[in-house]
Amino acid sequence: MVKKEIEIEVYGAEQVCASCVNLPSSKDTCEWLEAALTRKFPEQNFKISYIDMFNPPENIKQKSFVAKMIEEDLFYPLVIIEDEIVAEGNVRLKKVVEVMGKYGYKA
C-alpha cells in the first residue's frame, strides 16, 4: 500500500497559455487529472489542488513558486508532485502516473 499521501499541485490560469493553443485550461487540466488519477489509483489517497498564478493563496511556498513561474516564463499548466516539476504545458498522464509509482502508488 501507499506509504505517504502525496500532494499534487496544478499551477496555471483561467486563460490558456499563449504557447499552448488548442490545449485545455489549467483548471480543466486539474479536473481531468484528478478524475483520471482517481480511476487509475482507486482507494489510494492523494491530494490535488489548483493554484491560480494570478491569484495565489497566502501560502508562502506557493506564492514564491508562482513568482518563479512568472520570472522564468514557464508554460502552464504546471504540475508539481512533492515539490518536483512533473509536467509543463501539455500534461501527459503517463508521466504523472510514473512519478506516482515512485511513491508507492499501484495501478
Side-chain angles (χ1 to χ4, degrees), residues 60-85:
I60 301 276
K61 182 184 91 169
Q62 292 171 337
K63 274 191 166 195
S64 66
F65 196 82
V66 165
K68 178 183 176 180
M69 276 180 73
I70 293 169
E71 286 171 16
E72 296 182 13
D73 237 2
L74 298 175
F75 294 116
Y76 53 89
L78 191 71
V79 178
I80 297 180
I81 297 178
E82 296 296 313
D83 299 323
E84 173 191 352
I85 296 175

Side-chain angles (χ1 to χ4, degrees), residues 83-101:
D83 299 323
E84 173 191 352
I85 296 175
V86 175
E88 180 183 356
N90 190 8
V91 178
R92 301 286 183 195
L93 182 61
K94 184 177 180 179
K95 177 64 178 169
V96 175
V97 167
E98 182 182 300
V99 172
M100 288 179 75

Side-chain angles (χ1 to χ4, degrees), residues 17-87:
C17 172
S19 300
C20 304
V21 177
N22 297 326
L23 293 178
S25 73
S26 299
K27 193 166 190 137
D28 289 342
T29 298
C30 183
E31 291 169 358
W32 162 77
L33 200 54
E34 182 174 22
L37 294 174
T38 300
R39 283 191 307 273
K40 189 85 170 163
F41 301 109
E43 298 177 30
Q44 298 176 66
N45 295 328
F46 59 89
K47 181 181 174 195
I48 188 165
S49 54
Y50 170 73
I51 293 98
D52 187 325
M53 63 190 279
F54 297 113
N55 191 20
E58 290 302 312
N59 180 302
I60 301 276
K61 182 184 91 169
Q62 292 171 337
K63 274 191 166 195
S64 66
F65 196 82
V66 165
K68 178 183 176 180
M69 276 180 73
I70 293 169
E71 286 171 16
E72 296 182 13
D73 237 2
L74 298 175
F75 294 116
Y76 53 89
L78 191 71
V79 178
I80 297 180
I81 297 178
E82 296 296 313
D83 299 323
E84 173 191 352
I85 296 175
V86 175

